[in-house]
Amino acid sequence: MKPDDCSYHIYLNLLKEELIPATGCTEPISVAYAAAMAREVLGVLPDTCTIEASGNIIKNVKSVVVPNTGGLKGIAAAAVAGIVAGDASKKLEVLGAIEEAAKSQIKEYLKAHTVTVLPAHNDIVFFIAATVKKGNDEATVVIEDKHTNIVRIVRNGETQFEKGDGPAEGGGLTDRNSLNVKDILDFADSVRLEDIAEIIERQVTYNCAVSEEGLKHDWGANIGKVLLKAYGNDIRTRARAAAAAGSDARMSGCEKPVVIVSGSGNQGMTASLPVIEYAKALHVSREKLYRALVLSNLTTIYQKAGIGRLSAYCGAVSAGCGAGAGIAYLHGGGYEEIAHTIVNALAITSGIVCDGAKPSCAAKISSAVDAGILGYHMYQNKQQFFGGDGIVTKGVDATIRNVGVLAKDGMRQTDRQIIDIMLNRTSSKQPAGNKS
């Protein structure tokens, strides 16, 4: 693929668009961003705040710690953090620079003010509306489809911005219709290093720092540490542990930023950290690592294009397949090895559901990475899953399309059921193992 090809620019733009820093789990951060922007539009600290959110937003914010809040969880905490101390100009790093004194102010505001959380009455999968009021003044900011995609701003009943009036905050997404595995591999092989070095090196630096934090300290369920203790220190375990440890830290409120992929920090770490571990073990060049990460990231983005930002389908599965493809590439694999790795991995783990952001994401990441690695080793041992085996069909691109249909359309009712269970049939007052 040549630099003047249209596809070259599309693929490069996808990397620039998707591989961006975020501090904290991206759904609560999106809530904080909307609330911070609403306060900015209002012009003063509000007396009340109302957040309307789609079920998937509620699901992904409910159980994750909001960074820089002193351990607070949930939509109300995210919104108040954005209102009291957020910097809307930093978008997904809106809560990245909160000073210690502001953390107590967040808790004080929560105690003294009314924050109402309501389910959105629409069918939009990704929807947040933040409304803040002070006296007779009020402001509303609406985000749809993408974490920073503001589609409407209203102050005192007058629309100040609506998508279509000009460039939206966060913008639209680059067209993904041209994505396919063969061209992704061609781009990874031919992309000029100067075009991707800064983007990919930032991913390596940020995500490795969070992974190291997860392995050094006590975060979440410490899945990364458990893996190393239980299974040893071989490269396959290290690759799983590195990604899991990053999630351990991030889901439990680590304040270090990560580079996300397809709107998710967990996906960003899953697509990158196992590839980085294998690159170290194989002693490959920095260039080879960069190209493997380009392949892994774009393979993840490709799969998520058919699924959407949020779903009942665990996004770590897509990223684990991407990591498997990157690992195959590091071993010298070409199109055939990479295509079979992806198909094999999808056949293994496509049943994992997303029941929100929380510590167990780290364990799901471990399984997804393991499937990616197993998918590669299956091919190395002349084993594969064939078209007609379940959702697998002939050709890697056709199988990816099947998974997209399954995740986006087939699992809609599953998503509703998961949300109902999470909101109405579970209790956080006792350990899940207790009998009642």
Side-chain angles (χ1 to χ4, degrees):
M1 193 178 292
K2 298 178 181 178
D4 56 354
D5 290 344
C6 180
S7 292
Y8 185 99
H9 290 286
I10 289 173
Y11 286 15
L12 184 59
N13 285 340
L14 284 172
L15 292 174
K16 291 178 179 178
E17 178 179 282
E18 296 287 8
L19 273 65
I20 58 176
T23 303
C25 179
T26 47
E27 279 71 57
I29 294 306
S30 188
V31 171
Y33 173 57
M37 183 62 76
R39 182 207 166 160
E40 187 175 297
V41 174
L42 187 67
V44 293
L45 188 69
D47 290 328
T48 65
C49 173
T50 299
I51 302 291
E52 294 179 73
S54 58
N56 272 276
I57 297 297
I58 295 171
K59 176 180 77 172
N60 274 2
V61 183
K62 176 178 179 288
S63 302
V64 68
V65 175
V66 182
N68 283 314
T69 63
L72 299 176
K73 296 180 181 181
I75 287 179
V80 170
I83 289 169
V84 172
D87 182 350
S89 69
K90 294 184 178 179
K91 298 184 179 179
L92 290 182
E93 293 183 277
V94 60
L95 303 182
I98 295 178
E99 297 180 358
E100 196 64 31
K103 295 179 183 180
S104 60
Q105 293 172 7
I106 292 168
K107 293 181 179 180
E108 289 168 6
Y109 186 99
L110 269 171
K111 291 177 182 178
H113 295 78
T114 300
V115 180
T116 305
V117 179
L118 301 172
H121 295 293
N122 57 49
D123 294 324
I124 302 171
V125 174
F126 194 118
F127 180 88
I128 300 166
T131 300
V132 294
K133 296 182 180 181
K134 175 76 171 181
N136 294 323
D137 294 322
E138 77 172 45
T140 298
V141 170
V142 180
I143 290 176
E144 294 180 7
D145 300 326
K146 185 172 179 264
H147 294 80
T148 56
N149 186 37
I150 293 176
V151 298
R152 192 175 309 111
I153 298 174
V154 180
R155 190 179 192 281
N156 292 337
E158 293 186 6
T159 300
Q160 295 191 345
F161 166 82
E162 190 155 18
K163 190 92 176 266
D165 293 346
E169 198 70 38
L173 295 172
T174 299
D175 182 70
R176 284 144 167 76
N177 290 328
S178 66
L179 284 167
N180 63 83
V181 172
K182 188 166 287 186
D183 283 351
I184 288 172
L185 176 58
D186 186 10
F187 178 79
D189 279 335
S190 60
V191 64
R192 296 178 302 197
L193 287 184
E194 61 265 30
D195 288 341
I196 52 99
E198 182 178 353
I199 307 167
I200 300 300
E201 184 57 38
R202 181 174 62 183
Q203 183 180 43
V204 173
T205 301
Y206 282 27
N207 293 2
C208 284
V210 174
S211 177
E212 290 168 10
E213 173 69 22
L215 288 172
K216 286 180 180 177
H217 299 104
D218 184 16
W219 292 101
N222 291 299
I223 299 299
K225 292 179 184 177
V226 170
L227 285 167
L228 294 171
K229 185 176 181 179
Y231 300 115
N233 200 40
D234 63 280
I235 180 55
R236 182 169 177 172
T237 303
R238 294 202 307 275
R240 294 162 62 198
S247 180
D248 283 326
R250 187 168 168 276
M251 293 293 93
S252 297
C254 177
E255 296 162 7
K256 294 180 182 293
V258 302
V259 169
I260 67 176
V261 173
S262 292
S264 165
N266 279 343
Q267 289 165 201
M269 291 185 291
T270 305
S272 60
L273 289 164
V275 179
I276 295 166
E277 287 299 314
Y278 267 85
K280 293 176 186 175
L282 295 171
H283 304 289
V284 302
S285 67
R286 204 66 170 175
E287 176 180 344
K288 188 75 171 180
L289 169 61
Y290 283 1
R291 296 188 185 281
L293 286 172
V294 165
L295 174 67
S296 178
N297 287 313
L298 285 173
T299 300
T300 302
I301 292 165
Y302 176 26
Q303 294 173 78
K304 288 292 292 181
I307 296 170
R309 279 295 201 249
L310 302 175
S311 168
Y313 184 92
C314 177
V317 172
S318 304
C321 291
I327 290 165
Y329 185 88
L330 289 174
H331 281 91
Y335 174 74
E336 190 172 344
E337 289 88 346
I338 289 163
H340 281 285
T341 295
I342 294 169
V343 171
N344 290 340
L346 286 173
I348 296 167
T349 52
S350 283
I352 298 178
V353 298
C354 172
D355 54 342
K358 66 221 167 301
S360 67
C361 290
K364 295 181 182 185
I365 286 170
S366 170
S367 296
V369 172
D370 192 56
I373 297 169
L374 176 58
Y376 169 66
H377 285 298
M378 282 180 61
Y379 182 79
Q380 288 297 99
N381 285 277
K382 304 186 187 320
Q383 303 298 320
Q384 62 178 293
F385 300 115
F386 295 92
D389 290 346
I391 60 173
V392 173
T393 193
K394 185 176 181 180
V396 60
D397 297 300
T399 298
I400 288 173
R401 285 194 293 272
N402 280 357
V403 171
V405 172
L406 167 70
K408 187 174 183 179
D409 300 327
M411 298 182 76
R412 283 180 179 172
Q413 183 54 40
T414 302
D415 210 16
R416 297 186 188 104
Q417 196 67 61
I418 289 169
I419 293 166
D420 178 65
I421 290 170
M422 288 180 64
L423 298 183
N424 301 317
R425 304 188 191 184
T426 60
S427 171
S428 60
K429 296 180 180 179
Q430 60 182 21
N434 285 5
K435 295 182 178 180
S436 59

